[in-house]
Structure formats: structure tokens, C-alpha cells
Amino acid sequence: PIISIMSPKLSSPDLPLNVQSLISQAKDLFEKSFGDDDEQAKRTNLPIHCASAPGRVNLIGEHTDYTGGYVLPLAIGYNTVCYGRGGIVKYSGPTASNICRIVSTNNSIVEFNVSPSLSPSSTNKWINYVQGVMLQYLPDLKTEETFVLDMAIAGDVPLGSGLSSSASLEVATAVFLESIMEQHDDDVAYSSGATKTTNMSPKEVKMERAVRCQRAENVFCNVPCGIMDQFVSSAGCHEKLLLIDCRSLDFREVSMGSDGDNSEIDAPVLVVANSNVTHDLGAGEYPIRVRQCKEATEILSKVNPRIQSLRDVSMDDIDDAVSLAGLEGVLLQRARHVVSENKRTVETSDALERGDWEMVGRFMNESHSSMKNDYEVSCDEIDLLVELAQNFDGVYGSRLTGGGFGGCTVTLVEKECAGRLMHYLIREYEKKTGKKCTCFETSPGDGAKAISV
């Protein structure tokens, strides 16, 4: 059957209040930045497009995605919105008629032409996340065609917090481009084979979008991330976490307590605490962890030839590699974390659906200990927030969420205790560190959307 590659567009009144506010901010910024200039006057025939994509919190399954493992994230209510005019035009070289102009609430206007020769910016690194995604969609157009757009960006995902502001921007940009392509006269959609007239399911569209956005970050932004962040931003589901197999890209929606005796009324909630210690995953320790996992895999494959990544490794394999192949030190620690984290993640998804909150909390605490001691991606501020939460009445478990080196913690806590916990964390964190901590309660939300404005 003939299907649209896009889900039906939502109108603004159907959206959460914060997304409505972001749309207003992006629209105002667009009109302020582009509304009165001569070039915009020539582009009034181009339709208005709008897209949003959420950040994410990972309940468990950290630093497993880039080795093909399991993750268990949820989309959250913080979003990035892209608003503007866009179309597909014939490319006639770097001229004003096919220039792209992007502005955000945090950055001034950046201008560029989209062509295969486009290279990353060293001065405006934020724009690389937009440009990288555009280059992923450029091969879908005819050889002589390119994108032209004026786009304003507004977002409320805290930057550098481990809540995936970069993936949120990438996926919102992707949906914006797909909206442009959807309205284009020609039958053009995905170079991988999907077009307006092919039977590509919504699930496959979300997966393809995530792959492209991850590739943009890997190749154009030089960040060797896995696919989790882009995947859940693209495919998130209201009231469901996603258990994602990062090798096959298949996923299963996971409810909290749906299979057990505990009703949803009794279900605990998730509290996120932002240490306000920011990180930059493109530099420093993150690429080192990726390399260390590859080196550990090489040693393990000498003991067991079937091993292609740490996803294939068991604790018995690790024991064998220690005794037979000299796996030791830092590489042993990294492998031990990933292998144990994969097992915890799958078991946590089962415990969630049973409503076994004590078991979920135990796995979360074990995960943090492993990330702190074996993977060494925590920091003093994060460890303090985790310790404070783990010793608070009504808390089942707490851990670092995200890539680490700062960022946020996620805590599973009884609903009636959540407010007191947040006040306690804010007070004690400032008392002990002199820094401000921000907290919010969250639940699983929807993924990316095209918006009718």
C-alpha cells in the first residue's frame, strides 16, 4: 500500500505547554532574524515547517550502545524545536539563492551552502550537528538539487547535562528536512530505498532517521557515540521505556509495572538531578573509552573467535581471557562493566514490567558502582548526588545517567517522596559543594514530531 513516510502532523494546541512555548520562541526568533530582509522576501513561496524532538534519560545501559549492547532509555519532556521556511532547489554553486541560514536562541546566524564539499566548522561547533544531518539527507535528492532554508532553533534541553541536547537537535533537524521532502513534488524520500510510494513502516522510518543522525554525529561532528540517544529521541513512546538492541536496532516498549500486581497508581517515579557539571563528549575521555572497548574485544576474540564485540562476551569469557590471554588492568575493567551492564539492562526491563521496584533499584545501584569503579566516568559531584539519593527514605535506586564526566543522575523513588527528595538534593548539594543543583520529575514521553503551524 501507498503510505506517507511521515506520521500525521500535530497542531500546536495538542502539544505540551513547554513545546508550545518553544514554538513561539523559535517563531519570534525567525521573524526577528529573517522577517524583513531581501532574501526572505524572495523565499515567501517556500512553506513553513516545524519539528520537535526530545532529549532523553537512560534508566540503565550506559556505554553499551557503541558495542552493540542493550540500553533502556526514555524520552523526556525537554525538547528542541526547529521552525522556518525550507525547500529543495537546483544547486547552481554557492549563491545567495541557495544559501541556508540557521539561528538559535543561544547563537547568532550561520550561513552556508549544502553540498558534498561542506566541511565542519571549527568556530561554530553547534552548527555541525545541523549540517551533518543535512549531508545525510542530501543523497536523497537529485544530483543537481540541494536544500535551501531559513531556520530558527529553540530548546530547553540543558546543554552538556547528559540529557542528549545534541541528539535532540539532530533529530529535530531530520524531521524538519523530512517535512520539506514530504511536500516536494517529486517522489523523493530516503536514498536507502524508501519513498512516498514504498511500504516503509513508521517503525522503520524512526530507525532509519536514528541511524542517519548517529552517522552525522560520528562522521561530521567526530563524536564516536552509539545510537541510543538518536534512537529514543526519534522513536520514544508515551508512558513506555524502550529496550533497544543496539546491534539489530530492534526495540521493545517497556511499561512500569504492567505485568505485576502493583497498579500504576503505586508505581514509583523518576527524579533527574542535574549536577550542572558540564561535559564535552567530543573531547577527552569518551573517545578513549570507545578505543579501550575495541582493544579489550581484540584480546577476548583470541580466546573465543565468535566474539565480534563486547555484546558477545560472557563473564566466563572474561575469566578465560584473564587467565589465557592476559586481559588485565583498565581493559579488564572496561570489559567487565559492559558485560555486566548488558545483563543488568535486560533484567531491569523484566523487573520493571513485573513491578519489582526493589530489584530495579538494586540494578541501578550496581550500575552506578560499575560506572564509577570499572568504567571510571563519574565525578565527585555525581557520586555525592547518588549517595544522597540512595540513603533517602523512599528511594529504590540511583545512578549516573548519560555519558558521564558530569551531567545528571536518575533516581527511582516512591511518588509521595519525590518532592521531598528534590528539595533535599538541592539543599545538601549546595551545602557540600557550593554549586546549584536542579531537579525535575519525569516520565516517558513521545519521540520526534512534525508540527502543523
Side-chain angles (χ1 to χ4, degrees):
I2 296 176
I3 62 168
S4 170
I5 63 167
M6 296 281 290
S7 300
K9 291 186 177 182
L10 293 179
S11 60
S12 295
D14 299 323
L15 299 168
L17 291 178
N18 74 307
V19 177
Q20 294 183 41
S21 175
L22 290 173
I23 294 171
S24 295
Q25 292 176 45
K27 182 178 180 181
D28 291 345
L29 179 62
F30 173 84
E31 293 175 349
K32 177 183 177 182
S33 302
F34 308 121
D36 296 328
D37 68 4
D38 293 338
E39 188 58 42
Q40 181 59 208
K42 301 175 185 176
R43 300 183 178 190
T44 54
N45 62 313
L46 297 177
I48 291 287
H49 300 276
C50 186
S52 72
R56 68 97 186 94
V57 165
N58 191 24
L59 183 68
I60 196 168
E62 221 68 74
H63 288 276
T64 55
D65 57 345
Y66 51 78
T67 54
Y70 294 97
V71 293
L72 189 61
L74 58 141
I76 59 175
Y78 290 89
N79 288 262
T80 299
V81 165
C82 296
Y83 177 98
R85 294 187 184 276
I88 297 171
V89 299
K90 287 192 175 181
Y91 183 70
S92 55
T95 64
S97 62
N98 54 41
I99 202 167
C100 292
R101 302 184 299 179
I102 315 293
V103 65
S104 82
T105 52
N106 298 315
N107 300 279
S108 57
I109 297 173
V110 177
E111 299 183 353
F112 57 92
N113 295 96
V114 182
S115 71
S117 63
L118 183 65
S119 59
S121 171
S122 59
T123 55
N124 295 296
K125 292 188 176 181
W126 69 275
I127 200 65
N128 293 335
Y129 296 96
V130 176
Q131 293 175 335
V133 172
M134 296 185 76
L135 287 177
Q136 290 299 315
Y137 283 85
L138 187 62
D140 299 305
L141 308 187
K142 294 177 180 177
T143 304
E144 71 277 10
E145 290 180 332
T146 190
F147 292 105
V148 58
L149 53 89
D150 290 333
M151 187 172 77
I153 300 166
D156 57 7
V157 184
L159 303 180
S161 64
L163 300 179
S164 298
S165 57
S166 59
S168 175
L169 173 58
E170 291 159 358
V171 175
T173 300
V175 175
F176 189 94
L177 296 175
E178 290 168 17
S179 183
I180 292 173
M181 295 161 70
E182 178 79 348
Q183 289 194 359
H184 195 59
D185 289 338
D186 295 331
D187 181 21
V188 53
Y190 290 123
S191 57
S192 60
T195 68
K196 293 179 184 177
T197 55
T198 59
N199 189 7
M200 190 176 194
S201 70
K203 181 177 181 179
E204 290 171 321
V205 170
K206 294 171 183 176
M207 292 165 61
E208 170 73 11
R209 181 187 299 139
V211 168
R212 290 178 177 224
C213 291
Q214 181 208 14
R215 193 183 301 132
E217 190 157 348
N218 289 168
V219 175
F220 203 76
C221 304
N222 197 32
V223 178
C225 64
I227 198 169
M228 173 181 65
D229 298 351
Q230 295 84 0
F231 201 116
V232 70
S233 184
S234 179
C237 182
H238 181 59
E239 295 186 348
K240 307 283 187 181
L241 294 87
L242 300 185
L243 177 65
I244 304 171
D245 181 335
C246 295
R247 169 175 286 174
S248 69
L249 301 187
D250 196 12
F251 66 94
R252 176 169 64 88
E253 296 176 355
V254 177
S255 299
M256 292 182 65
S258 61
D259 293 343
D261 295 332
N262 296 345
S263 67
E264 289 188 6
I265 296 175
D266 298 321
V269 297
L270 297 172
V271 166
V272 177
N274 186 353
S275 69
N276 288 308
V277 176
T278 59
H279 61 196
D280 178 3
L281 294 186
E285 295 295 324
Y286 189 93
I288 292 174
R289 297 300 183 282
V290 176
R291 174 175 54 78
Q292 289 168 337
C293 286
K294 291 179 180 178
E295 292 174 0
T297 302
E298 291 175 2
I299 295 174
L300 284 153
S301 65
K302 295 176 182 177
V303 175
N304 187 340
R306 72 171 179 81
I307 292 174
Q308 297 180 356
S309 75
L310 292 181
R311 157 71 179 272
D312 304 316
V313 177
S314 69
M315 293 306 295
D316 288 341
D317 290 324
I318 288 180
D319 291 341
D320 290 343
V322 169
S323 59
L324 301 175
L327 181 64
E328 61 182 1
V330 168
L331 298 186
L332 169 60
Q333 292 175 242
R334 305 303 187 246
R336 187 166 55 206
H337 165 74
V338 174
V339 173
S340 62
E341 187 80 346
N342 275 323
K343 184 173 185 293
R344 278 190 294 268
T345 301
V346 175
E347 291 178 346
T348 297
S349 70
D350 295 335
L352 272 177
E353 293 190 318
R354 294 195 308 269
D356 189 345
W357 316 126
E358 296 284 351
M359 185 62 71
V360 173
R362 178 186 138 195
F363 289 140
M364 291 175 69
N365 293 339
E366 290 177 356
S367 173
H368 182 75
S369 178
S370 180
M371 292 177 72
K372 174 184 175 181
N373 298 314
D374 273 347
Y375 222 67
E376 298 179 292
V377 292
S378 191
C379 63
D380 292 343
E381 293 88 347
I382 289 292
D383 291 339
L384 173 61
L385 285 171
V386 168
E387 181 182 0
L388 289 170
Q390 287 177 345
N391 290 288
F392 191 85
D393 288 343
V395 168
Y396 293 99
S398 185
R399 61 180 289 277
L400 164 66
T401 184
F405 317 109
C408 293
T409 65
V410 59
T411 300
L412 186 70
V413 58
E414 293 177 2
K415 187 173 181 63
E416 61 269 23
C417 299
R420 295 196 301 276
L421 171 64
M422 289 188 282
H423 286 299
Y424 175 73
L425 292 176
I426 291 169
R427 184 183 71 243
E428 294 300 312
Y429 184 75
E430 184 171 12
K431 184 188 299 183
K432 290 178 168 58
T433 67
K435 301 175 182 178
K436 299 288 186 181
C437 162
T438 52
C439 300
F440 63 92
E441 183 181 325
T442 192
S443 59
D446 286 322
K449 307 176 183 68
I451 300 168
S452 177
V453 291

